[in-house]
Amino acid sequence: MSTVGIKYLFHNHRIEKPRFRVKSVAKNPSSLNYSLKPLRSGGSFCNFKSPHGVRPLRAASSNTELLETKDVFFKETFILKRIEAVEGKISIRLDSGKNGEKWQLTVGCNIPGSWVLHWGVSYIGDVGSEWDQPPLELRPPGSIPIKDYAIETPLKKLSSSAPERDTLYEVAIDFSPNCEIAAIRFVLKDEDNGAWYQHRGRDFEVPLMDYLCKDNYTVEAKKGFGTWPGPLGKLSNMLLKAEGPKGQDSSSLSGDLNQQIRCISGFYEEHSIVKQVPVENSVNVSVKKCPETARNLLYLETDLIGDVVVHWGVCRDDNKTWEIPASPHPPETKQFKNKALQTLLQETEEISETKADGHGSWGSFTLDEEVEGFLFVLKLNENTWFRCMGNDFYIPLSDSGSLPAQSSHSQSEGWGKSERVASVPIQISGEAAGAYVVSHTAYTDGIINEIRNLVSDISSEKRQKTKTKEAQESILQEIEKLAAEAYSIFRSSAPTFSEDAILEAEALQPPAKLSSGTGSGYEILCQGFNWESNKSGTWYMELNEKVAELSSLGFTVVWLPPPTESVSPEGYMPRDLYCLNSRYGNSDELKALVKSFHKVGMKVLGDVVLNHRCAHYQNQNGIWNIFGGRLNWDDRAIVADDPHFQGRGNKSNGDNFHAAPNIDHSQDFVRKDIKEWLCWLSLAVEELPTDSSYLIGKEIGYDGWRLDFVRGFWGGYVKDYMDATEPYFAVGEYWDSLSYTYGEMDHNQDAHRQRIIDWINATNGTACAFDVTTKGILHSALERCEYWRLSDEKRKPPGVVGWWASRAVTFIENHDTGSTQGHWRFPGGKEMQGYAYILTHPGTPAVFYDHIFSHYRSEIASLISLRNRNKIHCRSVIKITKAERDVYAAIIDEKVAMKIGPGYYEPPQNGPQKWNLSLEGKDYKIWETS
């Protein structure tokens, strides 16, 4: 039995000292490969200090007058919420009892939480990794059986009167050295948030017998668990091969081993873990009028611990345009880019009872009477900023509204993350609230109204028939842009933030040209190859013969294989990017194929591998990291943290692909060369610039891209490439494991689809992504007859298509998952249910080549025809009407009804719509309105 770790294992933090630290969670794609790294044996845990909660604020004695005076006309407390990572340890100790009669396994954890040990055993003679329940005498008090294979035992909190103990929570399991147990296996579960903690992605395993086959995942003593010497070593080899001496059965052999080779050695080991915990702080702001000078005195205090910096300025009107105020300025103030001031808050001198672990900090600001408002944001560290509802904090400096001096504690729904802004929605009481703060309702209404106005523009101009197609498409792109902005605000916890963004947010900039890369919304994608297509050497010519047929089936876009010279015949280990003679054919054959598709009105996607590239030459150390061809890069083009290729670039901002050098896209020369190469691939002869005669005869004319292994580099670089090439359509392969618990897929896959959405967001919506979430959920739903999985808690599709349908490319199979590789093959015999789902639902459906030219051809063609005549598109509206054990049903755009699964469903016939059955196959039906 195995488990799949969830997001609490995804943040890879190096523990520099054997103690707890609380730090901001870094948004680092590469940390998805987090594994628990063993620390040194021995040592001790330090006492844990929980993150600070919300505390009442008290000013230093010298500033108390400002808070208490009756002249205060504004006083407000803002709640600051964020997520922090707490680093701790799991300890594992194996001790012998007196005279060796009893042994004890102790598992502990020094992070506060509701910890449960989920564990089982394997017995002597067991084969494989399956768990069994331990005998009753091994189960500590409070243990609960889980089905027939495991036990859950809560860890007990140690008494605070025993500070010498290492851990805060632990559980002990007593066993006899003569028992039949070969190993104890476990994972640790945090009941607070449902997180599971494992050992390098697998179960912890403590071997109690020396014949077990050990690997890097085994937890054990470093001495006394080695290979047996002499004849016992030979005997162990025979056992591992599941072979015994002739005439002797395995049971008797196991019994002999139990008597001869049990040699348990005590040990102690620690493993680092990271737990995400919510943290609340607050900031108090008070403003009073100084009667002597008529100036405004603003006092700000927060219980944030550390060097808190206020980025601030003032404004003189309702436009809230930042200005630098006149002197005097507080101590520790410096100017930032002639646009704002930065002030390091002072540590609060007076320590209140509620601040036992820190003082907090404060600052006071003297502001001219004619200033209308005080604007600021808080910086806790380089990765953590606090703003208000995605905007700057705004404090009114006029008492004309007669706002009473009161404090209303505002709550926050969003969580600030590392390298993101902690969004703080606020609610301010009083009649004048609307005069100085943008309310949540007003903010959302503003975006909604903008979208409605654009839609009205299209509608009115369409009626007048004076709007060109290009202008209408431009307005649609603006709608997409606004939708992406709304998504960024309301789906993620906070927008991406930079210092410049704060200060220049109010500056009116002309809208940037948007290259959405998402086509018209009516695309139907065909994958034009499989894993074996390269073997003939003439694939381009073979596919050219099928162009007319693919067009007649209703496909609008075709995805072609990687075009470049490659170390691997399939093309995914590219070397010379400008050499287009591959195992699929030569460059002339490729150009002829693209031209044929264009003649029938189909768009062509090139499969480009941007994450890695194979080198031509070795360096002086024998490492393959020197490139040849036109792009003759050196090792500066390779990321520095790829251990195999000695790169001298910057550290990777994604996951490393260890089979080839990972390209450092942060290098300017790399991005420049890649953009030129992509433009070269996408240009036709008549589009080439006048100064590029050397390229004539090499151009291809791709209309867009399929981007391989985009987990390996930041999506912001993809945006650069999309902006440079302006593709008609682009889709990235962000392949990530779904969440499983003990081999069973979790119902809620929001974390999985959120990671894909985050990548799309990083590209600024300029590219789509394959909806791996939907494929995985379809697998479990159809294979296990659990069709209820096809609806999330809000009765929406549970994949990317349910959150951002216009950026989701749905599929059930491709060259990796199916074909001859079969890495993740769709449930056999149920392929048409999968196509009935994706070809009737929103998103952009992709059909695999092997399925097109198979006995499914006519059924797929009928589904494509139905989609086209009902004008179903990537943003179509779906209403899920049934999601039960054996049936799933939905109505799309009020024009198409569908069901998959063996269960019964008929669309309602008592309403305004009359439904006619149009298509029917094994366990699926499609209806259309008459």
Side-chain angles (χ1 to χ4, degrees):
M1 186 199 68
S2 64
T3 61
V4 175
I6 59 177
K7 64 182 179 181
Y8 298 93
L9 295 177
F10 290 162
H11 301 281
N12 189 356
H13 301 286
R14 179 171 60 90
I15 297 184
E16 297 174 350
K17 297 180 181 180
R19 64 181 179 86
F20 273 111
R21 297 191 290 156
V22 179
K23 69 180 190 178
S24 297
V25 183
K27 184 70 176 178
N28 184 355
S30 64
S31 64
L32 293 175
N33 284 333
Y34 176 80
S35 61
L36 292 173
K37 298 182 179 179
L39 304 177
R40 59 180 177 83
S41 296
S44 63
F45 296 152
C46 295
N47 291 334
F48 170 81
K49 285 186 177 181
S50 61
H52 337 297
V54 179
R55 307 180 182 89
L57 295 172
R58 296 181 60 185
S61 57
S62 60
N63 296 281
T64 305
E65 180 185 356
L66 178 60
L67 294 178
E68 296 177 352
T69 177
K70 61 182 180 181
D71 294 329
V72 171
F73 63 85
F74 177 90
K75 186 177 180 182
E76 188 66 37
T77 297
F78 304 103
I79 304 302
L80 311 174
K81 290 189 177 185
R82 68 189 189 279
I83 291 290
E84 285 190 345
V86 174
E87 291 183 347
K89 303 170 189 173
I90 295 174
S91 65
I92 304 167
R93 179 187 289 110
L94 187 62
D95 294 318
S96 62
K98 294 182 179 179
N99 303 321
E101 295 179 357
K102 286 283 186 180
W103 282 74
Q104 186 176 78
L105 174 67
T106 304
V107 179
C109 179
N110 68 336
I111 301 181
S114 301
W115 297 103
V116 172
L117 189 74
H118 189 98
W119 64 288
V121 301
S122 57
Y123 290 95
I124 297 172
D126 285 352
V127 178
S129 59
E130 295 298 322
W131 292 16
D132 286 310
Q133 286 187 344
L136 293 175
E137 60 269 19
L138 259 69
R139 305 178 188 181
S143 298
I144 300 174
I146 304 298
K147 297 184 179 179
D148 60 351
Y149 60 81
I151 293 292
E152 284 194 349
T153 305
L155 275 65
K156 293 184 178 180
K157 184 177 181 180
L158 299 182
S159 172
S160 58
S161 62
E164 72 278 1
R165 298 297 298 270
D166 290 336
T167 59
L168 294 175
Y169 302 80
E170 68 177 32
V171 63
I173 301 172
D174 297 319
F175 63 92
S176 168
N178 299 318
C179 66
E180 297 293 317
I181 296 175
I184 296 176
R185 293 170 173 165
F186 68 89
V187 294
L188 202 60
K189 179 182 179 182
D190 184 0
E191 292 283 307
D192 289 344
N193 50 35
W196 298 85
Y197 295 88
Q198 305 168 279
H199 182 42
R200 298 175 183 171
R202 293 169 59 177
D203 308 332
F204 286 90
E205 180 181 272
V206 179
L208 307 182
M209 292 292 299
D210 254 357
Y211 78 86
L212 288 178
C213 180
K214 305 178 186 69
D215 54 24
N216 291 332
Y217 302 96
T218 305
V219 178
E220 61 177 7
K222 304 308 177 187
K223 295 187 294 183
F225 279 74
T227 307
W228 311 320
L232 289 179
K234 297 178 182 178
L235 181 58
S236 69
N237 290 335
M238 289 187 291
L239 280 170
L240 296 178
K241 295 177 182 178
E243 296 176 356
K246 292 182 179 180
Q248 187 174 13
D249 61 33
S250 60
S251 60
S252 62
L253 185 58
S254 299
D256 293 341
L257 281 174
N258 191 36
Q259 298 299 322
Q260 296 179 38
I261 64 174
R262 180 180 292 279
C263 54
I264 306 175
S265 297
F267 69 89
Y268 176 81
E269 191 165 315
E270 296 174 354
H271 299 267
S272 62
I273 62 172
V274 176
K275 176 180 176 179
Q276 291 180 334
V277 295
V279 179
E280 283 192 6
N281 293 97
S282 60
V283 58
N284 273 350
V285 181
S286 298
V287 186
K288 66 167 285 188
K289 182 76 69 175
C290 178
E292 292 81 11
T293 64
R295 282 186 158 190
N296 292 312
L297 302 180
L298 183 144
Y299 182 80
L300 182 151
E301 186 179 22
T302 178
D303 61 348
L304 290 167
I305 304 302
D307 295 334
V308 181
V309 175
V310 179
H311 282 247
W312 65 283
V314 298
C315 61
R316 300 182 184 276
D317 51 39
D318 291 338
N319 291 330
K320 300 183 179 64
T321 302
W322 284 62
E323 293 183 13
I324 295 178
S327 298
H329 300 149
E332 300 290 335
T333 296
K334 60 182 180 179
Q335 193 165 305
F336 176 74
K337 295 186 178 181
N338 297 320
K339 298 177 180 177
L341 296 174
Q342 294 178 323
T343 298
L344 176 64
L345 295 182
Q346 302 179 52
E347 184 176 339
T348 303
E349 297 173 2
E350 181 178 321
I351 305 176
S352 67
E353 295 179 358
T354 59
K355 294 183 180 180
D357 58 349
H359 298 183
S361 52
W362 66 275
S364 61
F365 307 82
T366 302
L367 305 165
D368 291 337
E369 183 180 12
E370 64 270 16
V371 172
E372 289 291 328
F374 179 82
L375 299 160
F376 75 95
V377 292
L378 290 176
K379 175 184 176 183
L380 180 59
N381 53 52
E382 290 300 328
N383 297 321
T384 306
W385 297 76
F386 295 94
R387 299 175 74 196
C388 175
M389 278 179 51
N391 298 307
D392 310 324
F393 286 98
Y394 174 69
I395 306 299
L397 299 179
S398 172
D399 58 354
S400 59
S402 301
L403 182 68
Q406 60 183 0
S407 175
S408 60
H409 288 270
S410 308
Q411 299 299 319
S412 166
E413 300 298 331
W415 298 107
K417 296 184 179 179
S418 176
E419 296 182 357
R420 292 191 174 200
V421 180
S423 183
V424 188
I426 61 173
Q427 298 172 350
I428 297 182
S429 59
E431 295 178 357
Y436 58 86
V437 86
V438 180
S439 70
H440 187 277
T441 302
Y443 192 66
T444 54
D445 286 348
I447 293 178
I448 293 170
N449 287 335
E450 285 189 64
I451 295 176
R452 284 174 176 165
N453 290 338
L454 286 169
V455 173
S456 298
D457 287 346
I458 294 179
S459 178
S460 61
E461 295 292 350
K462 187 175 181 180
R463 287 193 298 269
Q464 297 171 16
K465 297 183 179 181
T466 60
K467 201 76 169 177
T468 65
K469 179 181 178 182
E470 291 76 11
Q472 291 179 13
E473 289 179 350
S474 176
I475 295 176
L476 284 172
Q477 289 174 352
E478 286 299 317
I479 293 174
E480 287 277 4
K481 188 176 181 180
L482 287 166
E485 179 185 352
Y487 175 84
S488 177
I489 294 167
F490 301 116
R491 274 244 61 91
S492 66
S493 58
T496 303
F497 169 77
S498 67
E499 292 182 347
D500 289 335
I502 296 176
L503 303 172
E504 298 176 3
E506 300 300 331
L508 296 177
Q509 299 289 343
K513 185 174 182 181
L514 183 66
S515 299
S516 68
T518 56
S520 66
Y522 292 91
E523 282 69 33
I524 301 176
L525 178 62
C526 158
Q527 180 175 1
F529 64 99
N530 61 26
W531 193 248
E532 304 295 320
S533 297
N534 64 88
K535 292 190 174 179
S536 67
T538 59
W539 183 250
Y540 293 148
M541 292 190 291
E542 294 175 33
L543 189 60
N544 209 338
E545 298 175 357
K546 297 181 171 65
V547 168
E549 183 176 2
L550 291 172
S551 176
S552 67
L553 291 173
F555 291 106
T556 62
V557 181
V558 62
W559 156 24
L560 297 184
T564 57
E565 177 210 8
S566 170
V567 172
S568 64
E570 296 81 16
Y572 291 100
M573 299 280 282
R575 188 164 59 176
D576 186 349
L577 299 185
Y578 278 94
C579 178
L580 301 184
N581 295 324
S582 69
R583 300 292 181 90
Y584 299 98
N586 60 41
S587 59
D588 290 335
E589 294 164 350
L590 175 57
K591 285 188 288 184
L593 177 61
V594 172
K595 188 175 181 179
S596 295
F597 277 116
H598 285 166
K599 284 183 177 179
V600 297
M602 290 181 65
K603 303 293 185 180
V604 181
L605 305 185
D607 197 331
V608 290
V609 183
L610 305 181
N611 176 74
H612 51 272
R613 181 186 172 196
C614 294
H616 291 71
Y617 312 108
Q618 295 171 292
N619 67 3
Q620 64 273 18
N621 299 323
I623 303 298
W624 292 88
N625 62 8
I626 307 298
F627 302 95
R630 184 175 297 169
L631 303 183
N632 54 347
W633 302 331
D634 58 16
D635 51 6
R636 292 175 302 153
I638 301 173
V639 296
D641 51 351
D642 187 337
H644 302 92
F645 297 101
Q646 297 182 1
R648 291 193 297 121
N650 298 312
K651 287 188 177 182
S652 174
N653 42 51
D655 295 336
N656 278 331
F657 178 80
H658 294 297
N662 287 249
I663 300 304
D664 180 11
H665 292 263
S666 69
Q667 302 283 6
D668 291 339
F669 73 91
V670 168
R671 293 200 307 278
K672 176 179 177 293
D673 286 346
I674 289 178
K675 284 188 278 191
E676 288 181 356
W677 175 64
L678 290 173
C679 288
W680 174 74
L681 287 176
S682 62
L683 293 177
V685 175
E686 60 275 10
E687 299 173 301
L688 287 172
T690 56
D691 60 346
S692 36
S693 57
Y694 65 95
L695 296 178
I696 297 295
K698 291 290 187 180
E699 74 289 336
I700 300 302
Y702 286 128
D703 303 291
W705 316 110
R706 182 266 184 185
L707 304 164
D708 183 67
F709 197 74
V710 296
R711 277 180 57 189
F713 56 102
W714 179 46
Y717 299 132
V718 173
K719 179 186 181 300
D720 287 348
Y721 303 142
M722 299 303 101
D723 288 346
T725 57
E726 298 185 352
Y728 174 81
F729 193 89
V731 55
E733 180 208 32
Y734 192 96
W735 199 277
D736 197 6
S737 296
L738 281 78
S739 298
Y740 294 81
T741 300
Y742 302 121
E744 183 173 338
M745 179 181 289
D746 296 340
H747 180 208
N748 189 325
Q749 296 293 335
D750 287 355
H752 183 267
R753 59 175 167 175
Q754 182 65 62
R755 292 192 290 274
I756 299 176
I757 291 287
D758 287 344
W759 177 83
I760 301 172
N761 257 334
T763 73
N764 201 31
T766 57
C768 303
F770 286 109
D771 192 349
V772 181
T773 315
T774 291
K775 173 177 168 63
I777 293 172
L778 280 170
H779 271 249
S780 284
L782 275 60
E783 196 169 39
R784 303 163 63 97
C785 197
E786 295 174 342
Y787 291 83
W788 48 265
R789 292 182 176 273
L790 295 174
S791 173
D792 67 11
E793 295 177 353
K794 296 182 179 180
R795 300 294 285 183
K796 299 290 185 182
V800 177
V801 72
W803 277 1
W804 204 350
S806 67
R807 299 300 188 271
V809 175
T810 53
F811 71 107
I812 69 167
E813 209 78 288
N814 63 26
H815 60 292
D816 286 321
T817 65
S819 194
T820 54
Q821 285 204 101
H823 287 326
W824 194 24
R825 199 179 301 280
F826 202 76
K830 301 180 187 293
E831 289 86 354
M832 285 312 305
Q833 288 189 63
Y835 282 123
Y837 182 92
I838 68 172
L839 286 169
T840 60
H841 278 50
T844 300
V847 182
F848 184 41
Y849 180 88
D850 290 5
H851 294 158
I852 300 170
F853 297 98
S854 71
H855 60 283
Y856 297 132
R857 181 184 181 283
S858 61
E859 289 181 89
I860 291 174
S862 298
L863 284 168
I864 293 174
S865 176
L866 181 142
R867 183 182 182 91
N868 285 333
R869 68 174 171 264
N870 286 282
K871 294 181 171 54
I872 297 175
H873 52 86
C874 68
R875 301 173 187 84
S876 287
V877 178
I878 179 171
K879 178 183 177 182
I880 297 175
T881 56
K882 201 169 190 179
E884 299 177 357
R885 182 188 64 83
D886 59 352
V887 64
Y888 165 86
I891 295 176
I892 302 90
D893 286 343
E894 299 295 333
K895 294 185 290 186
V896 172
M898 60 82 65
K899 80 99 179 177
I900 56 175
Y904 173 80
Y905 173 79
E906 293 283 341
Q909 298 289 357
N910 54 356
Q913 297 154 313
K914 300 301 180 183
W915 297 99
N916 299 317
L917 182 63
S918 297
L919 297 176
E920 184 175 5
K922 184 179 179 181
D923 290 335
Y924 75 89
K925 289 183 178 180
I926 316 289
W927 295 264
E928 297 176 86
T929 55
S930 56

